[in-house]
Amino acid sequence: MNESELHRIDRSVKRWLHTSREFILKKMEESLNVSEKTGRKDLVTNVDKENEKFLISKIRTFAPDSQILGEEGFGDQIRQTKGWVWVVDPIDGTMNFVKQRDHFAIMIALYIDGQGVLGYIYDVIGDQLLSGGPDLGVFNNDEVLAAPANVSLRDGLICVSGPMVMHNYHNFQTVVETSSGLRIYGSAGIEMIHVLKGETVAYVSYLKPWDFGAGKILAESLGLAVTTVDGKPLDMLSSDFVMVATVQAQQDILPIIGSNV
Amino acid sequence: MNESELHRIDRSVKRWLHTSREFILKKMEESLNVSEKTGRKDLVTNVDKENEKFLISKIRTFAPDSQILGEEGFGDQIRQTKGWVWVVDPIDGTMNFVKQRDHFAIMIALYIDGQGVLGYIYDVIGDQLLSGGPDLGVFNNDEVLAAPANVSLRDGLICVSGPMVMHNYHNFQTVVETSSGLRIYGSAGIEMIHVLKGETVAYVSYLKPWDFGAGKILAESLGLAVTTVDGKPLDMLSSDFVMVATVQAQQDILPIIGSNV
């Protein structure tokens, strides 16, 4: 795809995201309609659903031949990755959205023929949009985001999901002890932003395709490693334990959890 | 103390804090001089030290008869709590300051004859100042901060320090499982702000007097419970496991960790 076409897509996605943000902020003035999905810690609200419908309608108009994978199920059943595939998370960190009214993100990823092309993570309350891809480069709002330094696990902070730490999954307590400290923000998008900006050296959690799609595209564009927790390639349509890390931190983590680099 | 005197002190402290913030932001453009205190996870920088010296000099000029307890040791050795006692944390969350350049706070507390009078937590990068006390009320920047709802542990997010979670200190893994989710921000000040705003229902960590002084005064002014982890009164000059929580969340937590309410 040539650059002007990429820029055309990029401008459109950003317009949708800004409209989505305004919609969400307006909805936050009303009371939310919250319900449980798989359990009491897996929430969805009317705003998640309405925002997903909005984004999917925009994509359908913009690129009618696309397949769309949406967290809340208003997209398509996707079985193969040929052509344009969009992955939409209308509100990532719904628990934070409900309990904190802050620290959540809108995320969109565009793959073409299985290759990540564009990724978007929009911290709604912080009004901070991470965007771009391998050809466009990565931006923090309008500024070019430099690749983070290749910092070691020992010299960096790490985000690991609460359950992984508590159950010492794959020896992750030792990983945390080796690092400079543990942080948990409760939204894959927000945790990804921290890695992209070099504020943490790794993020590890069990994630679904809409949780990691945008972050994977942005992180790889900045030279970060994005793999399964044991260092294998990620399938863009499957749920898995995902690790986003500096190359050095990944090399530090894999031996601790008993995987070969 | 009458209200106009309280307002006079409040205006002065806010002026110092704004000057401190400008100083810190300016210093962040230069390279930091970082050294270890008790170990590699306990850092101090030239900015911590210079900012503490600045704040202490302001206090000494403003109220010469005060005793001052400063994290970095530029204040006094305090053995009794009679009269005016100021507690100063020039940068709370120094690890975040060093690694993230974000998510740290300046904190100041004023006790008179052992009673908390005024507390200040200033999120420097977020430019968010929580201030006030039992007589002035509590403010988020210039807006009155309403008391958070008395939410249960089950319905709220909780901040617990990483080591307490990993070592299942006092059964805190069950506390976390009972809650809606675990968050870890890495700065007592930032975690306190979340409780004050009702974004989390509890914060539990081992803290020193400069870590909890300001937060205790603000939290109690909003009707939150601030005690040792087993529900006992805190000594303002001692380090301890501290719990800041809604009254309901505290009542939910104490039986789980084996303490009587």
Side-chain angles (χ1 to χ4, degrees):
Chain A
M1 179 177 297
N2 66 45
E3 203 175 303
S4 76
E5 172 69 356
L6 267 180
H7 278 291
R8 190 181 70 89
I9 304 169
D10 183 58
R11 281 194 302 274
S12 295
V13 177
K14 285 177 174 167
R15 265 200 308 273
W16 311 336
L17 286 170
H18 287 118
T19 306
S20 273
R21 176 172 184 269
E22 292 303 319
F23 167 77
I24 291 171
L25 292 177
K26 196 160 172 56
K27 281 288 178 179
M28 288 172 70
E29 296 167 7
E30 307 164 12
S31 67
L32 295 176
N33 184 344
V34 183
S35 52
E36 296 179 4
K37 294 200 286 187
T38 61
R40 73 182 181 95
K41 297 182 185 179
D42 183 17
L43 304 180
V44 63
T45 75
N46 57 309
V47 184
D48 297 69
K49 292 176 187 170
E50 290 174 48
N51 192 38
E52 177 162 313
K53 286 182 198 167
F54 165 76
L55 291 169
I56 287 179
S57 76
K58 286 293 178 189
I59 294 170
R60 293 229 188 275
T61 304
F62 181 78
D65 294 334
S66 300
Q67 298 184 88
I68 308 171
L69 177 63
E71 171 171 18
E72 307 310 342
F74 299 107
D76 306 309
Q77 294 286 341
I78 298 183
R79 294 204 177 72
Q80 51 81 24
T81 60
K82 206 166 156 346
W84 288 33
V85 177
W86 300 78
V87 184
V88 174
D89 191 340
I91 294 185
D92 173 75
T94 301
M95 182 64 81
N96 283 354
F97 175 63
V98 171
K99 303 292 183 187
Q100 304 196 323
R101 304 299 175 108
D102 199 350
H103 313 301
F104 58 90
I106 312 168
M107 298 202 286
I108 297 178
L110 170 60
Y111 295 87
I112 298 181
D113 294 331
Q115 299 298 310
V117 174
L118 289 167
Y120 300 85
I121 305 175
Y122 199 0
D123 169 357
V124 170
I125 301 302
D127 198 7
Q128 182 174 222
L129 173 59
L130 282 283
S131 70
D135 294 327
L136 272 194
V138 177
F139 294 81
N140 181 357
N141 289 335
D142 294 328
E143 295 194 3
V144 172
L145 185 67
N150 190 19
V151 174
S152 69
L153 175 64
R154 189 179 162 84
D155 286 334
L157 298 167
I158 183 170
C159 290
V160 181
S161 72
M164 292 181 69
V165 171
M166 292 211 291
H167 304 140
N168 195 23
Y169 177 86
H170 270 358
N171 206 21
F172 258 95
Q173 291 191 356
T174 303
V175 173
V176 168
E177 301 276 14
T178 306
S179 78
S180 289
L182 173 65
R183 301 291 180 265
I184 298 180
Y185 302 114
S187 147
I190 300 297
E191 323 239 12
M192 298 270 198
I193 289 176
H194 282 82
V195 189
L196 295 171
K197 293 169 73 177
E199 297 181 353
T200 53
V201 294
Y203 168 50
V204 188
S205 183
Y206 186 81
L207 298 177
K208 299 190 169 162
W210 43 81
D211 294 319
F212 68 74
K216 178 175 189 289
I217 294 167
L218 294 169
E220 288 179 342
S221 301
L222 291 174
L224 294 161
V226 186
T227 62
T228 65
V229 71
D230 44 359
K232 299 197 174 64
L234 273 178
D235 174 358
M236 61 172 270
L237 295 180
S238 300
S239 301
D240 214 326
F241 285 93
V242 173
M243 168 154 43
V244 182
T246 66
V247 170
Q248 184 59 55
Q250 189 192 47
Q251 287 175 356
D252 298 335
I253 291 169
L254 289 177
I256 297 174
I257 65 173
S259 295
N260 296 315
V261 182
Chain B
M1 181 178 294
N2 67 43
E3 203 175 300
S4 76
E5 171 69 356
L6 267 180
H7 279 291
R8 189 180 71 90
I9 303 170
D10 182 58
R11 281 193 303 273
S12 296
V13 176
K14 285 177 174 167
R15 265 200 309 274
W16 311 336
L17 286 169
H18 287 118
T19 306
S20 273
R21 176 172 183 269
E22 292 304 318
F23 166 76
I24 291 171
L25 293 178
K26 196 163 174 52
K27 280 289 179 178
M28 287 172 71
E29 297 167 8
E30 308 165 13
S31 67
L32 295 176
N33 185 343
V34 183
S35 52
E36 296 178 4
K37 294 200 285 186
T38 61
R40 73 182 179 95
K41 298 182 186 178
D42 183 18
L43 304 180
V44 63
T45 75
N46 56 310
V47 185
D48 297 69
K49 291 175 186 169
E50 290 173 50
N51 192 38
E52 177 161 316
K53 285 181 196 167
F54 165 76
L55 290 169
I56 287 178
S57 76
K58 286 294 180 187
I59 295 170
R60 292 227 189 278
T61 304
F62 181 79
D65 294 335
S66 299
Q67 299 184 87
I68 308 171
L69 177 63
E71 171 170 19
E72 308 310 342
F74 298 107
D76 307 308
Q77 294 287 340
I78 298 184
R79 295 202 177 74
Q80 51 80 23
T81 60
K82 208 168 156 341
W84 288 33
V85 177
W86 300 78
V87 183
V88 174
D89 191 339
I91 295 185
D92 172 75
T94 301
M95 182 64 82
N96 284 353
F97 175 62
V98 171
K99 304 291 182 188
Q100 305 195 322
R101 305 297 175 111
D102 200 349
H103 313 302
F104 59 92
I106 313 167
M107 297 201 287
I108 297 178
L110 170 60
Y111 295 86
I112 299 182
D113 294 331
Q115 298 299 309
V117 174
L118 289 167
Y120 300 84
I121 305 176
Y122 198 1
D123 169 357
V124 170
I125 301 302
D127 198 9
Q128 181 175 223
L129 173 59
L130 283 282
S131 70
D135 293 327
L136 272 193
V138 177
F139 294 81
N140 181 357
N141 289 336
D142 293 329
E143 295 194 2
V144 173
L145 185 67
N150 189 20
V151 175
S152 69
L153 175 64
R154 188 179 163 86
D155 287 334
L157 298 167
I158 184 170
C159 290
V160 182
S161 72
M164 292 180 70
V165 172
M166 293 210 292
H167 304 141
N168 195 22
Y169 177 86
H170 270 358
N171 206 21
F172 258 95
Q173 292 191 354
T174 303
V175 174
V176 168
E177 301 276 14
T178 306
S179 78
S180 288
L182 174 65
R183 301 291 180 265
I184 298 181
Y185 302 114
S187 148
I190 300 297
E191 323 239 11
M192 297 271 198
I193 288 177
H194 282 82
V195 188
L196 295 171
K197 293 169 74 177
E199 297 180 351
T200 52
V201 295
Y203 167 51
V204 188
S205 183
Y206 187 81
L207 298 177
K208 299 191 169 164
W210 42 83
D211 295 318
F212 68 75
K216 178 176 191 286
I217 293 167
L218 294 169
E220 288 180 340
S221 301
L222 291 173
L224 294 161
V226 186
T227 62
T228 65
V229 71
D230 45 358
K232 299 196 175 65
L234 273 178
D235 174 358
M236 62 172 269
L237 295 180
S238 299
S239 301
D240 214 324
F241 286 93
V242 173
M243 168 154 42
V244 183
T246 66
V247 170
Q248 183 60 54
Q250 187 192 48
Q251 287 175 357
D252 298 335
I253 291 169
L254 289 177
I256 297 174
I257 65 172
S259 295
N260 295 317
V261 182

